[in-house]
Amino acid sequence: MSIIDPRTGNPLTAEQENTSNEEATTAHRSVTPEEVIIELNAGNIQQVLEASMQVPVLLGCHSPSNASDTTLLMMLEKLAVEYAGAFLLGKLDIEANPEIAGQLGVRSTPDVKLVSQGGLVDSIQGALPEKEVREWLNRYFPATGDAPPSPEDQAEEALAAGDAAGAREIYQTLIGQYPEHYAYQIGLARALVAEKRGDEARSVLDNLPPEERDAAPARGVRASIEFSEQALSVEEIASLGDRNDSEARYQRALRHVADSQYETGLEGLLALMKDDRAYNEDAARKTLLQVFDALGADHPLTVTYRRKLFALLY
């Protein structure tokens, strides 16, 4: 079902991101919370559903006694103001309004339903993190041009900029809000590795459920810990001087990987494997596979160097 913008009669979907800056500015005027957020009850629910004929409505069904519900609702309130009237947010306390919750088919909370033209368009359940909620909203509404980066994006930007402590603090906050979203704990472990706190990172990974602990993302962080622990120090690498034997080449490549200079490290490992496959019981190939684990199967470098490894082997 298409969501129709009552101002234009056009489908209200992410394709509207292609509008001009001037149109985007007009569409995303400033609003107050009072203009876009409504407390739902038996006295106004019908009126709000009828309003969905004119503007889409998000029904935020929550239980005040549930902390994760409260976290998600606060996020939706922030987003309702940020999206500046693209949709209304109706907050439904299911404890105070069990009959309405039953009529809407709410079985557990948090439950967010998107209603347009009087009908249900889509819904999401569970305490989802902000990045996932934004991605869901952006299927139907044009993202605001001045939207701030999500906390997840802020953490990744901090890591890329070398601010591991800043990334760690963001992930710690996210873990407090979403303790069962294990990707944040893996992100925390990555930040700890970058801070050279490998033992703490390993402890975070050890406390994950078995299916998460043994999956590729966690294995990748473990590989990063091992790289940092196995690699020679910068001073020790410098002391190798002009040595070009297999051991020196391997140690330089490992140091590059430990310093996140992955492409240089992968290139060095591949070259060593080509020239001296037997070195240290095939250490270059084994380390290449560890780096692929650390980067993840979809990383461009993994894709490129896995192909090069295959070509070398076969």
Side-chain angles (χ1 to χ4, degrees):
M1 176 181 179
S2 296
I3 299 180
I4 304 301
D5 186 337
R7 295 166 300 185
T8 65
N10 296 324
L12 185 56
T13 64
E15 278 76 8
Q16 286 190 0
E17 290 177 5
N18 293 326
T19 56
S20 69
N21 292 335
E22 183 178 351
E23 289 170 328
T25 301
T26 301
H28 297 294
R29 63 185 179 84
S30 297
V31 300
T32 64
E34 292 75 19
E35 291 179 272
V36 292
I37 301 173
I38 305 165
E39 291 282 353
L40 297 178
N41 54 53
N44 65 11
I45 182 66
Q46 190 58 41
Q47 180 183 359
V48 170
L49 292 177
E50 290 174 358
S52 74
M53 299 297 295
Q54 302 300 317
V55 62
V57 176
L58 282 188
L59 301 178
C61 306
H62 66 103
S63 172
S65 60
N66 188 323
S68 61
D69 288 21
T70 301
T71 298
L72 182 62
L73 199 64
M74 291 173 61
M75 180 209 307
L76 291 174
E77 291 174 347
K78 178 186 75 170
L79 293 174
V81 173
E82 181 184 310
Y83 277 74
F87 59 84
L88 300 177
L89 172 62
K91 303 190 299 181
L92 179 69
D93 177 349
I94 67 164
E95 294 178 6
N97 301 278
E99 291 185 4
I100 299 175
Q103 292 168 0
L104 293 173
V106 179
R107 294 181 176 82
S108 63
T109 59
D111 187 329
V112 182
K113 300 181 183 297
L114 173 57
V115 177
S116 180
Q117 304 290 298
L120 178 65
V121 176
D122 200 356
S123 64
I124 53 174
Q125 287 78 37
L128 299 178
E130 182 174 326
K131 185 174 181 130
E132 292 185 27
V133 175
R134 284 183 180 275
E135 290 171 352
W136 179 70
L137 286 174
N138 289 343
R139 297 179 197 169
Y140 305 102
F141 308 105
T144 57
D146 56 351
S150 66
E152 298 93 330
D153 289 339
Q154 291 177 41
E156 289 301 311
E157 289 171 6
L159 267 179
D163 182 12
R168 170 175 48 81
E169 291 174 2
I170 294 172
Y171 280 123
Q172 287 172 332
T173 299
L174 288 170
I175 289 168
Q177 296 173 334
Y178 308 101
E180 295 185 359
H181 193 71
Y182 300 114
Y184 294 149
Q185 297 185 42
I186 293 171
L188 172 61
R190 288 173 53 222
L192 289 168
V193 172
E195 288 188 282
K196 304 190 184 306
R197 296 163 65 174
D199 288 342
E200 293 176 62
R202 189 178 282 110
S203 178
V204 170
L205 298 175
D206 287 344
N207 286 318
L208 291 170
E211 64 274 13
E212 298 290 340
R213 188 171 61 236
D214 298 331
R219 291 202 316 269
V221 179
R222 287 188 189 279
S224 296
I225 297 172
E226 292 175 12
F227 296 145
S228 297
E229 292 176 344
Q230 294 171 8
L232 297 179
S233 68
V234 174
E235 292 75 18
E236 289 171 319
I237 292 294
S239 71
L240 295 175
D242 296 330
R243 279 178 53 186
N244 198 38
D245 56 276
S246 295
E247 172 67 12
R249 292 170 65 187
Y250 178 77
Q251 291 298 341
R252 290 191 188 98
L254 195 61
R255 183 68 255 170
H256 286 308
V257 170
D259 291 337
S260 299
Q261 298 172 15
Y262 292 112
E263 186 165 13
T264 303
L266 287 167
E267 196 64 42
L269 290 168
L270 194 69
L272 174 59
M273 182 184 163
K274 181 178 180 180
D275 295 340
D276 187 1
R277 176 74 184 272
Y279 165 74
N280 196 15
E281 299 181 349
D282 207 10
R285 183 186 64 84
K286 293 176 181 176
T287 305
L288 277 167
L289 297 178
Q290 283 186 295
V291 179
F292 296 159
D293 242 358
L295 293 174
D298 296 329
H299 194 286
L301 288 176
T302 299
V303 174
T304 298
Y305 280 88
R306 196 182 291 279
R307 188 183 302 118
K308 290 184 177 183
L309 176 60
F310 183 86
L312 185 60
L313 290 173
Y314 304 101

